[in-house]
């Protein structure tokens, strides 16, 4: 990855242009864009984190397939329109759109803080996943903490050398390895379990019937809540939005999303089945042990014969590489928002692109070592960290979903909507009441957020000048020709 980072950055003016360093020159083609979107949505943590969740929860974790599908649906609502406006206005970060649309410093600052919260949690999730993956694969020979430190060093070197272009190029190889590896792990797990899915279901029904039973009403409500939370929240990931900006053309973007619609059953669907098989293979694991179940399974599959041995080495290389690449992408987005939005807009508006990139690199080092301290004793399971990042990040969704289409949406209601929504979600999280009758705090906050945005905007008078001004900003045409 370090070598590819060096090759990708060689000859490019990465240190002198924020567009080149953070967006790969806005020139990603179909294959590269598809796989970098795929790697963003399905990092190595999807394998390392989702299988243990299926192991602990049983068949109710089937929800992981529809919430991944929902993400694509939300992307298609706003991504093509946002791309055209972003290309015309030369956006670099997601909050460039928010500043452009609402022209409000306080709205922009709140959005920046919410997005940085989401990115910080996502990066923490990747660091914890690296530790569990390597520790599980090596049966503890490489301890959790050493694994995290080792790959942080790789990640920082790699990011400095290649920027977004290096991340996107390596995502292609890692995506292919992950897809092939998932099928091999499934086949190997079935072989270890006797080869019959029906037999596996019967065994679970006999030993742990609660994991195969029909969910109760509250669990069903929680399913719907989780689908909305992940579907909307993941679609407004800052690093995902920046990939929208990086597309070579609108057609390339739409083609990539069309192929992405097939990925949930192929990726999270198969990982779910692997987690279910592990219930039979490794009964009685507690929460901590189950977090390393994929590494343990890979070891057992590798012991079957030389073919599986080498496939597991390649597969885990792909998993760890994908986790590092996702972490790198998140860190890159975090750095861009601090350097371009906070430093470039409010601290030193006259800063050159070169200066902004240097500030972003320095911030990246500080943030990653702060998160290293947290990752040393993670605050929860990978799934809990996964949910935590969405609770506040999702509150910026009205800025995109309403802001792109509804011209009456005003800055003041958007500001108070985000503040109220984030406060509700934050209080519920801090008090340990993450859900209410199965509904996540982030969704309850988002409902309040939308109500404030809509009702507040309807109550404010709209002048003809304002209508014309917003029409110009949200139009997807330039001189009558679609970009």
């Amino acid at each position: 990855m370090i070598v590819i980072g060096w090759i990708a950055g060689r000859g490019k003016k990465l240190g002198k242009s924020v567009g080149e360093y953070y967006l790969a020159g806005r020139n990603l083609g179909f294959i590269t864009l598809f796989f970098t979107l795929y790697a963003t949505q399905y990092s190595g943590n999807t394998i390392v984190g989702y299988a243990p969740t299926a192991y602990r929860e049983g068949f109710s974790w089937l929800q992981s397939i529809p919430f991944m599908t929902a993400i694509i649906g939300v992307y298609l609502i706003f991504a093509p329109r946002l791309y055209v406006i972003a290309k015309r206005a030369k956006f670099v970060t997601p909050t460039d759109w928010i500043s452009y649309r609402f022209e409000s410093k306080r709205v922009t600052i709140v959005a920046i803080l919410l997005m940085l919260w989401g990115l910080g949690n996502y990066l923490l999730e990747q660091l914890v996943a690296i530790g569990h993956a390597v520790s599980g694969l090596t049966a503890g020979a490489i301890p959790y903490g050493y694994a995290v430190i080792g790959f942080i060093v790789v990640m920082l070197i790699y990011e400095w050398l290649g920027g977004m272009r290096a991340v996107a190029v390596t995502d292609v190889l890692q995506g292919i390895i992950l897809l092939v590896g998932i099928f091999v792990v499934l086949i190997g797990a079935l072989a270890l379990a006797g080869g019959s899915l029906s037999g596996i279901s019967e065994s679970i029904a006999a030993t742990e019937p609660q994991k195969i039973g029909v969910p109760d009403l509250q669990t069903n409500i929680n399913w719907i809540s989780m689908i909305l939370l992940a579907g909307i929240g993941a679609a407004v990931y800052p690093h995902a939005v920046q990939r929208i900006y990086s597309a070579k053309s609108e057609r390339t973007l739409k083609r990539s999303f069309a192929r992405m619609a097939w990925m949930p059953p192929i990726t999270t669907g198969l990982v779910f089945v692997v987690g279910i098989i592990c219930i039979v293979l490794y009964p009685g694991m507690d929460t901590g042990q189950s977090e390393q179940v994929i590494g343990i399974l890979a070891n057992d599959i590798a012991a079957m014969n030389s073919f599986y041995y080498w496939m597991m080495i390649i597969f885990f290389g792909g998993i760890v590489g994908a986790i590092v690449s996702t972490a790198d992408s998140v860190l890159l987005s975090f750095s861009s928002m601090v350097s371009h939005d906070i430093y470039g807009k409010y601290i030193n508006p006259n800063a050159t692109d070169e200066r902004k990139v240097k500030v972003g690199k320095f911030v990246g080092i500080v943030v990653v070592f702060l998160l290293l301290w947290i990752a040393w004793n993670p605050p929860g399971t990978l799934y809990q960290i996964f949910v935590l990042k969405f609770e506040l990040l999702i509150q910026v969704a009205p800025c995109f979903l309403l802001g792109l289409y509804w011209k009456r949406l005003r800055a003041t209601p958007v500001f108070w909507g985000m503040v109220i929504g984030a406060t509700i979600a934050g209080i519920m999280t801090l008090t340990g009441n993450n859900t209410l009758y199965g509904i996540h705090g982030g969704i309850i906050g988002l409902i309040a957020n939308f109500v404030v945005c809509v009702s507040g905007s309807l109550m404010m008078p709209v002048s003809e000048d304002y209508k014309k001004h917003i029409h110009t900003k949200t139009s997807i045409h330039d001189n009558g020709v679609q970009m």
Side-chain angles (χ1 to χ4, degrees), residues 443-459:
I443 294 298
I444 295 173
L446 182 63
I447 292 171
N449 187 348
F450 265 102
V451 170
V452 171
C453 286
V454 173
S455 59
S457 297
L458 288 174
M459 291 170 62

Side-chain angles (χ1 to χ4, degrees), residues 298-442:
N299 262 317
D300 290 344
I301 293 174
M304 292 168 61
N305 57 51
S306 58
F307 169 76
Y308 281 115
Y309 175 81
W310 287 106
M311 286 302 297
M312 288 302 96
I313 288 177
I314 295 171
F315 176 53
F316 254 80
I319 286 179
V320 174
I323 295 172
V324 175
S325 184
T326 300
D328 184 282
S329 173
V330 173
L331 183 61
L332 201 66
S333 187
F334 193 107
S335 300
S336 73
M337 292 182 68
V338 173
S339 63
H340 180 73
D341 294 335
I342 298 176
Y343 179 76
K345 290 178 181 176
Y346 303 119
I347 298 176
N348 185 6
N350 297 319
T352 63
D353 277 8
E354 185 175 3
R355 180 71 174 173
K356 291 177 187 177
V357 171
K358 287 181 179 178
V359 169
K361 289 180 175 180
F362 173 76
V363 168
I365 294 176
V366 173
V367 167
V368 89
F369 279 99
L370 174 62
L371 290 175
L372 170 62
W373 176 69
I374 299 174
W376 208 262
N377 292 289
T381 66
L382 284 168
Y383 174 65
Q384 289 169 332
I385 300 172
F386 167 79
V387 174
L388 187 63
K389 68 176 178 279
F390 288 132
E391 303 283 10
L392 298 187
L393 175 61
I394 198 173
Q395 306 308 324
V396 304
C399 295
F400 293 91
L401 301 182
L402 288 178
L404 279 162
Y405 291 97
W406 192 37
K407 295 179 174 55
R408 286 201 62 167
L409 186 65
R410 307 294 288 272
T412 298
V414 167
F415 169 77
W416 286 111
M418 286 193 293
V419 169
I420 292 170
T423 300
I424 292 171
I427 290 174
M428 290 184 67
T429 300
L430 291 173
T431 57
N433 301 305
N434 295 334
T435 61
L436 180 63
Y437 300 109
I439 303 175
H440 291 88

Side-chain angles (χ1 to χ4, degrees), residues 9 89 106 114 132 137 155 160 249 284 296 366 386 400 416 483:
R106 62 179 183 171
L114 293 175
H132 285 312
L137 176 67
M155 180 178 68
W160 277 47
S249 66
I296 296 168
V366 173
F386 167 79
F400 293 91
W416 286 111
M483 297 181 68

Side-chain angles (χ1 to χ4, degrees), residues 71 74 227-238 390 393-397:
I71 296 169
V74 177
I227 289 169
L228 291 173
L229 184 72
I232 299 172
V236 294
Y237 273 153
F390 288 132
L393 175 61
I394 198 173
Q395 306 308 324
V396 304

